[in-house]
């Protein structure tokens, strides 16, 4: 079975940094585009960032451009999201996702495989 497991998130002060990771098993990671999504209380899930199968493309939501960086290490089956200059509005449950596409996108409907989510809370 395809399994994605996110690292533990955490509580961080505004302006701080945090790195999330997501380790995959049961799938050939080189064949999958990967993405990070988030859902804040009372809001719909939204795409944060994604990276194509062979690092061929990356996308970022406008609100995180210049602050977040997505990378992947296929040798370790791991996806990362480095988050810097965090803001209270970044507070959400963060999910990693995978889809067997060459290029990635920020529509959650494209992704059949999901992690369980990890909470990130940014205090003001």
């Amino acid at each position: 079975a395809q399994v994605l497991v996110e690292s533990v998130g955490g509580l961080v002060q505004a302006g701080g940094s945090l790195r999330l990771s997501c380790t995959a098993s049961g799938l050939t990671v080189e064949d999958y585009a990967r993405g990070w999504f988030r859902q804040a209380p009372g809001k719909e899930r939204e795409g944060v960032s994604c990276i194509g199968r062979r690092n061929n493309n990356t996308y970022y939501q406008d609100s995180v451009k210049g602050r977040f960086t997505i990378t992947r290490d296929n040798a370790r089956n791991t996806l990362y999201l480095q988050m810097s200059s965090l803001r209270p509005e970044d507070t959400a449950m963060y999910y990693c996702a995978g889809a067997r596409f060459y290029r990635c996108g920020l529509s959650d409907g494209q992704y059949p495989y999901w992690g369980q989510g990890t909470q990130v809370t940014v205090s003001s």
Side-chain angles (χ1 to χ4, degrees):
Q2 296 84 358
V3 177
L4 302 176
V5 180
E6 296 98 341
S7 59
V8 175
L11 171 64
V12 62
Q13 288 188 331
S17 299
L18 189 65
R19 187 177 80 160
L20 302 180
S21 63
C22 173
T23 302
S25 61
L27 53 85
T28 304
V29 294
E30 294 87 351
D31 293 340
Y32 285 75
R34 308 282 296 277
W36 287 99
F37 293 79
R38 68 186 181 187
Q39 187 168 21
K43 295 187 177 181
E44 293 188 354
R45 187 165 57 190
E46 61 179 4
V48 175
S49 182
C50 70
I51 186 166
R53 181 187 297 185
R54 303 289 170 85
N55 298 328
N56 50 295
N57 74 303
T58 56
Y59 286 125
Y60 295 91
Q61 183 194 105
D62 285 346
S63 70
V64 307
K65 285 180 181 177
R67 301 189 299 121
F68 290 12
T69 303
I70 189 170
T71 56
R72 61 189 295 165
D73 184 343
N74 287 346
R76 289 181 167 81
N77 293 351
T78 302
L79 176 74
Y80 300 98
L81 185 68
Q82 178 66 49
M83 304 184 292
S84 302
S85 301
L86 282 161
R87 304 168 181 169
E89 53 264 40
D90 295 317
T91 295
M93 186 72 79
Y94 283 71
Y95 300 88
C96 67
R100 199 180 174 93
F101 295 133
Y102 186 69
R103 294 178 64 85
C104 74
L106 291 181
S107 172
D108 60 358
Q110 297 177 288
Y111 293 83
Y113 305 113
W114 291 84
Q116 81 285 358
T118 187
Q119 179 68 38
V120 173
T121 302
V122 184
S123 63
S124 58

